[in-house]
Amino acid sequence: MPENANTGTPGNVSRDSRAYPMERDGEVTSSLYLVQLTCPQCGKSTLHAEFPDHYEAWIKCSSCGFFMGMSHDEWHSMENSPNLNEKIKKMARKKKILEL
């Protein structure tokens, strides 16, 4: 067998956390600090985060239809912040989803 043949064994594989983000359940409606997520567009507490795969997060409002996608790393960084709702609003303005 050639030296570089793929034998199905992983060998020395780095387990970088950015490559393997933590598993999430289907939906989140509050921050790690148990703050209810508030929609930056309509102001209602009907905002939730969904995780369609290991690499992205979707922020959706069931009242007004607000939608914003982001990377899982961006969500994780914001979720660990005590002012999550303000960070969501700031990101929506930066992405030009919300008017200034």
Side-chain angles (χ1 to χ4, degrees):
M1 181 181 298
E3 251 182 72
N4 60 357
N6 184 357
T7 60
T9 56
N12 293 330
V13 175
S14 171
R15 294 290 180 179
D16 184 357
S17 64
R18 289 176 292 166
Y20 298 93
M22 75 175 158
E23 298 275 338
R24 297 292 283 177
D25 289 333
E27 189 173 307
V28 172
T29 58
S30 63
S31 73
L32 292 177
Y33 295 97
L34 300 179
V35 173
Q36 187 72 31
L37 299 181
T38 304
C39 179
Q41 186 166 290
C42 70
K44 295 182 181 177
S45 296
T46 52
L47 193 70
H48 64 276
E50 294 179 11
F51 307 94
D53 59 32
H54 294 296
Y55 304 102
E56 61 184 324
W58 295 346
I59 309 299
K60 296 180 176 182
C61 178
S62 59
S63 293
C64 70
F66 174 81
F67 174 84
M68 180 171 62
M70 67 184 74
S71 73
H72 188 279
D73 287 342
E74 287 174 318
W75 169 257
H76 184 68
S77 176
M78 287 194 322
E79 184 183 31
N80 288 317
S81 170
N83 54 349
L84 175 59
N85 287 318
E86 286 302 313
K87 289 198 175 193
I88 290 172
K89 188 180 285 187
K90 183 177 178 180
M91 181 180 275
R93 286 184 179 137
K94 183 178 176 183
K95 291 184 175 197
K96 298 182 181 182
I97 297 170
L98 281 181
E99 297 293 320
L100 296 174

